[in-house]
Amino acid sequence: DGSFARAFMGGSVSSLNSTNVGYVFSIDGSGKIDSMAGGVNGPVNALYCDNDTQLVYVGGNFTSTVAGLTTSVATMRAVSTGSLAIYETATAAWRALSFHGLDGPVFDFTKVKDRVYAVGAFTSTADNATHIALGEQPINLNACTLTGGNSAETEGFNDPQNIICTSGADSTGNTWLMRDKLPGYYRIDFPFRTTPSLLRLMNTAYEGRGTKAIRVEAAQNNQVLAMSYLDPELRTEMFCGQSCPLPQDYNWHEFRFVDNDETLANITGVIINIVDWYGMGGGFNK
């Protein structure tokens, strides 16, 4: 008769009628929109609604559900869904997968008897021992050339090496600071050309100082690189370029490089410009 209880839709949409949606949402017969617990953190290519199990299979180019996003790279793998997610309509929540997703995008689903099959440009699960999990191949920063622009004159706080591979507290020898009331930068030149995917920082709060906003550039041509980060209050992925906010606390904060492959390929290093600061000046603890 043309009536329906609920329709599920996905794509590259991030808002609808002033409602924030994470690339996938549902709408009922009265027009009420449900964000499906925040959705996912990347475009959706395929949906499959299984009436028998009341599950919605979501496939696309994403790494996690928004509900599973975290500011800690140490736990990112545990919640990653790698292009595939399953939504339980009965509980209005995302189901935990028994594996960490796939190593490429999903484009379609089909059901044969009681099994749902995913189709896409992937070759293995992200659990495969030969596959580097999402955002987890680290660059050895001890092998990089590190430069601090406008480093503090105070002994023990002016060495850019202080914040690399350290577990020390926010103190002398474990923190890098800038000069008072001046902008500066933290430059990392890689030992080889690379395609960066994730930047992880911990702010300083030494004597009320700290970095309030950064701008990341490619070292070889000073091109501003587009980044995304998780808004801790909205639990949604936000995008930035000229000014990316950094909270003043001792939590890890991650920024994802979101430019196209052509822009990010063969980068020789990155420059983290400190464009705004707390207190007398900026800096980092890790």
Side-chain angles (χ1 to χ4, degrees):
D1 62 1
S3 64
F4 65 95
R6 183 168 296 276
F8 294 86
M9 304 178 189
S12 297
V13 60
S14 58
S15 66
L16 186 67
N17 293 339
S18 301
T19 300
N20 290 325
V21 294
Y23 301 96
V24 63
F25 62 93
S26 69
I27 184 169
D28 64 18
S30 67
K32 183 179 180 181
I33 298 169
D34 178 29
S35 69
M36 296 173 64
V40 295
N41 70 338
V44 169
N45 303 325
L47 292 172
Y48 179 80
C49 298
D50 191 332
N51 288 322
D52 296 330
T53 61
Q54 294 296 293
L55 299 176
V56 179
Y57 293 79
V58 181
N61 298 68
F62 53 85
T63 61
S64 176
T65 62
V66 170
L69 281 171
T70 172
T71 57
S72 171
V73 76
T75 58
M76 179 172 288
R77 178 175 168 80
V79 299
S80 65
T81 61
S83 304
L84 176 65
I86 302 174
Y87 185 78
E88 297 181 343
T89 59
T91 62
W94 295 98
R95 171 175 288 191
L97 301 182
S98 60
F99 60 102
H100 295 120
L102 305 167
D103 67 348
V106 171
F107 297 125
D108 201 1
F109 293 103
T110 187
K111 187 175 183 180
V112 179
K113 294 184 178 180
D114 62 344
R115 290 182 178 271
V116 175
Y117 294 86
V119 181
F122 52 86
T123 58
S124 69
T125 69
D127 305 80
N128 189 308
T130 62
H131 175 69
I132 298 298
L134 306 165
E136 283 193 358
Q137 184 177 10
I139 294 175
N140 182 5
L141 296 179
N142 277 319
C144 298
T145 300
L146 308 173
T147 308
N150 269 341
S151 296
E153 296 179 329
T154 307
E155 190 69 26
F157 292 96
N158 54 7
D159 186 353
Q161 187 70 37
N162 284 355
I163 66 173
I164 302 301
C165 301
T166 177
S167 59
D170 194 9
S171 60
T172 179
N174 298 306
T175 298
W176 173 77
L177 299 177
M178 299 190 319
R179 296 185 185 184
D180 292 354
K181 298 294 183 180
L182 288 175
Y185 62 85
Y186 191 93
R187 176 171 177 147
I188 306 170
D189 287 291
F190 304 140
F192 46 81
R193 290 178 180 269
T194 190
T195 302
S197 60
L198 200 69
L199 172 65
R200 191 182 189 212
L201 297 168
M202 183 180 292
N203 213 344
T204 179
Y206 184 79
E207 294 184 344
R209 296 170 179 261
T211 296
K212 185 179 289 187
I214 62 173
R215 181 182 68 250
V216 182
E217 299 175 354
Q220 69 267 31
N221 57 11
N222 295 106
Q223 179 177 346
V224 177
L225 300 176
M227 314 293 287
S228 73
Y229 63 95
L230 177 67
D231 186 297
E233 294 182 359
L234 298 176
R235 298 294 293 174
T236 56
E237 189 175 24
M238 309 294 285
F239 297 88
C240 59
Q242 293 292 340
S243 181
C244 298
L246 187 65
Q248 191 182 31
D249 56 36
Y250 292 121
N251 295 317
W252 285 110
H253 295 280
E254 292 177 351
F255 297 89
R256 187 167 65 93
F257 293 82
V258 296
D259 280 303
N260 57 43
D261 291 342
E262 183 179 354
T263 299
L264 294 175
N266 296 316
I267 283 183
T268 61
V270 295
I271 303 171
I272 306 169
N273 294 280
I274 291 86
V275 297
D276 199 3
W277 52 85
Y278 301 97
M280 293 298 290
F284 300 114
N285 180 224
K286 294 178 178 61

